[in-house]
Amino acid sequence: MRKGLTASAACLSALALSVVAAPAASATDDPPPPGKITMEVLTVNGSGCPAGTAAVAPSSDNTAFTVTYSDYTAQRGGDSKPTDFRKNCQLSLAVHIPQGFTYAIASADYRGFAYLGAGVTGTERANYYHQGMAQSTAISHTVKGKTSGNWQFTDRTPVAELVYKPCGENRNFNINTELRVEGGDGKETSFMSFDSADGSVRTIYQFAWKKC
């Protein structure tokens, strides 16, 4: 439970806050490669992901990978510090894939939990890119109080705009995320988080594959 929150606040019934469309069709004719994909967090920077609080893992079918945060919460009001209203995280990931293939990111599914008082707005913002290449446009989503519940936003990349890692090159994959909580009278603690009460919430990045 977050500092300054009451048990009653944490137990309020969850309200799904979603702008998620139906699952996207395959962005490429090439299926996921056979073999094993390995991933590791190389560097972490930012107030939203202290060392040891972010983890990454590919799915068993090579269609996606997940990033899990365990201490990523922006909050204001109550006994929050003035700087707590904004949290950010920059991750650099080593992605090792089978030879003869390359990948892009077709979609990113961001999830978390928010408890926002009246007049308070929570904002999630994110982008990503391959090392040494142009960054994707940062996309922002907002949740407005008063509310308490899970939130979920999915950003999809049109097929024509997919950015593939150059074939045969080792380039780290970088993810930038940010949470903000603003507004309200500051008396009650409001927060927006990339994790959930039970730690089961993960950010999911969907691969698009292409043969080299």
Side-chain angles (χ1 to χ4, degrees):
M1 187 177 298
R2 301 297 168 193
K3 186 177 180 180
L5 300 182
T6 64
S8 59
C11 293
L12 288 176
S13 61
L15 172 66
L17 304 166
S18 175
V19 290
V20 181
S26 175
T28 175
D29 291 333
D30 294 330
K36 186 177 182 180
I37 295 173
T38 61
M39 306 182 71
E40 61 180 314
V41 178
L42 296 179
T43 61
V44 294
N45 291 289
S47 55
C49 51
T53 64
V56 59
S59 63
S60 59
D61 59 3
N62 291 346
T63 61
F65 71 91
T66 60
V67 178
T68 306
Y69 302 99
S70 60
D71 189 18
Y72 197 158
T73 299
Q75 66 178 44
R76 76 175 304 275
D79 60 356
S80 303
K81 298 177 182 178
T83 56
D84 286 344
F85 84 97
R86 176 185 179 272
K87 293 295 178 73
N88 74 301
C89 181
Q90 298 176 335
L91 296 179
S92 181
L93 310 178
V95 183
H96 304 289
I97 63 176
Q99 289 186 348
F101 287 84
T102 185
Y103 72 93
I105 300 301
S107 66
D109 186 10
Y110 303 98
R111 308 178 186 188
F113 188 88
Y115 178 79
L116 305 174
V120 179
T121 298
T123 302
E124 176 267 327
R125 178 181 173 91
N127 73 326
Y128 43 82
Y129 62 99
H130 299 289
Q131 179 183 10
M133 302 178 70
Q135 297 189 26
S136 66
T137 301
I139 299 176
S140 298
H141 301 283
T142 59
V143 179
K144 295 186 177 181
K146 187 173 186 172
T147 189
S148 173
N150 295 317
W151 56 265
Q152 180 174 336
F153 301 114
T154 298
D155 299 338
R156 304 193 187 282
T157 303
V159 173
E161 298 177 14
L162 290 173
V163 178
Y164 287 88
K165 181 185 72 68
C167 286
E169 296 186 10
N170 291 322
R171 295 186 182 230
N172 299 336
F173 186 70
N174 300 293
I175 299 172
N176 297 320
T177 53
E178 178 184 335
L179 294 178
R180 287 177 179 260
V181 176
E182 300 170 293
D185 58 18
K187 295 180 181 179
E188 181 182 21
T189 301
S190 294
F191 75 93
M192 186 172 184
S193 175
F194 264 122
D195 59 357
S196 64
D198 62 3
S200 64
V201 173
R202 293 174 172 84
T203 300
I204 303 172
Y205 295 86
Q206 193 78 27
F207 285 123
W209 290 103
K210 184 171 67 174
K211 292 181 180 179
C212 293

